[in-house]
Amino acid sequence: MIKKIDIQKFAAYSKPGPRYTSYPTANEFHENFSYDDYIKFLTSDKSSLSLYIHLPFCRSACYFCGCNVIYTSKQEKKNRYIKYLNKELHLLKQYMDCSREVVQLHLGGGTPTFMSHTELKEILDMIYEVFPHFSLFAENSCEIDPRYFSKQQMQTLHDGKINRLSFGIQDFDINVQNTIHRIQSQELVSDALKLARDFGVHSINFDLIYGLPKQNLESFKRTLDIVYSMKPERLAIFNYAHVPWLKKNMRKINEHELPSPREKLQILDYTINFLQERGYMMIGMDHFAQPHDELYKAFCEKTLRRNFQGYTTKRGTQTIGIGLSAIGEGQFYYAQNHKELHEYEKSLDKGILPLYKGITLSEEDYLRKTIIMEIMSNLKLDYTAINETFKINFCEYFKHVLDEMKEFEQIGLVELKPDSLEVTADGILLVRNLVMPFDSFLKKSVHTQKQFSKTI
């Protein structure tokens, strides 16, 4: 249990920094990552598979959103996109062993449920045709916008083996909803939740955001009361990343209406204690789960993985990113598809995968990735395991980093032991700050202020 936060102390550590959904971060991906290298990684990897399918379409803009989306009301755009997804899937089949076991599937967006039930069925059928071997225990998930969710869609997802849903909630306060251009009532969400439960979905996540305009502690308390009454198995509660220089839709937000770092910490402090007192366990820096949920079990077993979807239960997989702007990941690489629809289509029309950019990790990058992701996911680093894997003396190799860590140790955010580093309960709130000293790219960057949101 996290004790009462020293608001003044923690607020002082708010500064721009990565969320570390990857390392190196996506800012380091480059167009010199070659197509030949990508094909080599696809053909050589023999691990089990995670599939991420990006469905980018939304009817209208939510002003807080940082995703790669296309706003449209035109049916033909969705039909055309599905045809190109099919082209990409069959090109992948030429270059990689698609008979490997799939242990994870995620339909993300955009708004996946902006697709009709027939379109969702077509997409799922295409996936299962190209990747026929799914684990009996695969975690297959779909992001849900409660404003676009019907019984027919739920039937299609159920028939398509989707067993976990993630509902975009953000906040139930009507003043906040008006400001972020995302109106959805408690009744609407309750009906959507009941629909999922009626089809036997027993793993449901709610996404919430703190730090939104017009949000305050009292309004967020009411949101949490409503959320708790609905009993989702998981909660992802994100710090709003206000980056209007990167996302034009965020320019609609009045920055004077954003809560201060101090107010955000008050909200976070209350949220953590509220949920923990009601049986939710804190996972990493922004996720919560009920004790029987697989996410919490993975956290206890130290097998969590952090990726672009947050925290997941599946380690050791190769992630294949499919669709516009989708990112794939292997042990020693990241690869991202084109972000512009015309470029995505142009590549596929030429019969080549729509690679935009990526990065090949050096041994040094992989070492630091391992360290950063271990701390971000499991809040502890075993030096002996690092020494054995990478044939180094951790304490000597990272002496300068451990020296930097002493400041965090003095204020109770981390415990430095002879053979391990452990993040304290309070340190979870600043875990991004704690791993930043291991980030060699961050030290070289001169654009940090514009690249990243603040850690609080």
Side-chain angles (χ1 to χ4, degrees), residues 5 11 13 30 49 51 82 90 119 164 167 182 200 226 234-235 239 284 319 336 386 393 404 432 441 445:
I5 292 174
Y13 283 91
H30 52 79
L49 295 169
L51 306 178
I82 292 171
H90 282 85
E119 290 161 348
R164 187 171 76 81
F167 283 55
R182 176 70 176 251
I226 295 169
R234 302 179 184 181
L235 290 163
N239 175 12
T319 299
Q336 183 171 24
I386 296 295
N393 182 312
E404 286 187 55
R432 290 162 67 186
F441 291 92
S445 175

Side-chain angles (χ1 to χ4, degrees), residues 320-335:
I320 307 299
I322 302 163
L324 188 73
S325 77
I327 297 176
E329 175 190 1
Q331 188 176 27
F332 285 100
Y333 80 95
Y334 292 95

Side-chain angles (χ1 to χ4, degrees), residues 112-154:
T113 51
F114 187 41
M115 295 287 186
S116 70
H117 70 282
T118 54
E119 290 161 348
L120 286 171
K121 183 180 187 306
E122 187 175 357
I123 291 166
L124 288 166
D125 286 347
M126 285 164 20
I127 294 166
Y128 289 123
E129 178 192 350
V130 173
F131 297 96
H133 297 128
F134 272 65
S135 166
L136 291 175
F137 306 102
E139 186 176 83
N140 303 323
S141 60
C142 180
E143 295 173 8
I144 303 292
D145 183 335
R147 301 172 300 171
Y148 307 102
F149 190 46
S150 68
K151 184 175 181 179
Q152 288 175 312
Q153 287 173 314
M154 185 62 246

Side-chain angles (χ1 to χ4, degrees), residues 245-422:
W245 54 90
L246 298 176
K247 296 294 178 180
K248 292 181 180 179
N249 52 293
M250 292 183 181
R251 297 172 193 172
K252 300 277 190 179
I253 287 177
N254 183 348
E255 294 187 358
H256 298 293
E257 295 179 339
L258 295 172
S260 67
R262 179 185 180 87
E263 291 171 315
K264 288 166 71 175
L265 274 169
Q266 289 173 334
I267 293 171
L268 182 58
D269 180 27
Y270 179 86
T271 297
I272 292 169
N273 286 288
F274 176 91
L275 292 173
Q276 289 185 335
E277 287 169 3
R278 287 157 181 79
Y280 284 88
M281 307 299 179
M282 192 170 186
I283 310 295
M285 69 176 187
D286 45 25
H287 284 52
F288 297 81
Q290 293 180 356
H292 63 270
D293 189 85
E294 292 299 319
L295 197 67
Y296 180 64
K297 293 177 183 177
F299 176 70
C300 292
E301 295 167 0
K302 304 300 182 188
T303 57
L304 273 183
R305 174 186 179 185
R306 186 157 176 82
N307 63 14
F308 286 95
Q309 284 73 59
Y311 290 103
T312 74
T313 61
K314 307 298 182 183
R315 274 192 157 187
T317 65
Q318 180 185 25
T319 299
I320 307 299
I322 302 163
L324 188 73
S325 77
I327 297 176
E329 175 190 1
Q331 188 176 27
F332 285 100
Y333 80 95
Y334 292 95
Q336 183 171 24
N337 283 350
H338 282 293
K339 293 182 176 182
E340 300 297 330
L341 192 58
H342 68 279
E343 293 291 345
Y344 174 77
E345 293 179 350
K346 186 166 71 173
S347 290
L348 291 168
D349 284 338
K350 292 178 180 178
I352 60 175
L353 290 168
L355 177 67
Y356 169 41
K357 59 183 179 178
I359 190 168
T360 299
L361 275 64
S362 66
E363 287 289 343
E364 178 74 8
D365 295 336
Y366 181 56
L367 165 63
R368 291 173 183 269
K369 173 184 177 179
T370 303
I371 290 168
I372 288 170
M373 293 307 176
E374 187 66 22
I375 297 172
M376 290 292 298
S377 299
N378 298 307
L379 307 177
K380 181 177 179 179
L381 186 69
D382 181 346
Y383 301 162
T384 302
I386 296 295
N387 292 343
E388 290 177 353
T389 302
F390 294 95
K391 310 304 179 189
I392 63 169
N393 182 312
F394 180 90
C395 292
E396 291 181 5
Y397 198 93
F398 289 104
K399 182 180 183 304
H400 62 292
V401 175
L402 293 175
D403 288 341
E404 286 187 55
M405 286 286 174
K406 289 177 182 176
E407 177 185 352
F408 294 123
E409 184 180 39
Q410 289 170 358
I411 60 173
L413 302 184
V414 66
E415 292 182 14
L416 300 177
K417 301 179 180 180
D419 58 353
S420 67
L421 178 158
E422 294 187 30

Side-chain angles (χ1 to χ4, degrees), residues 38-56:
Y38 182 39
I39 298 303
K40 179 185 68 177
F41 285 124
L42 287 177
T43 56
S44 62
D45 202 311
K46 304 301 179 186
S47 54
S48 56
L49 295 169
S50 292
L51 306 178
Y52 174 75
I53 317 297
H54 191 66
L55 306 176

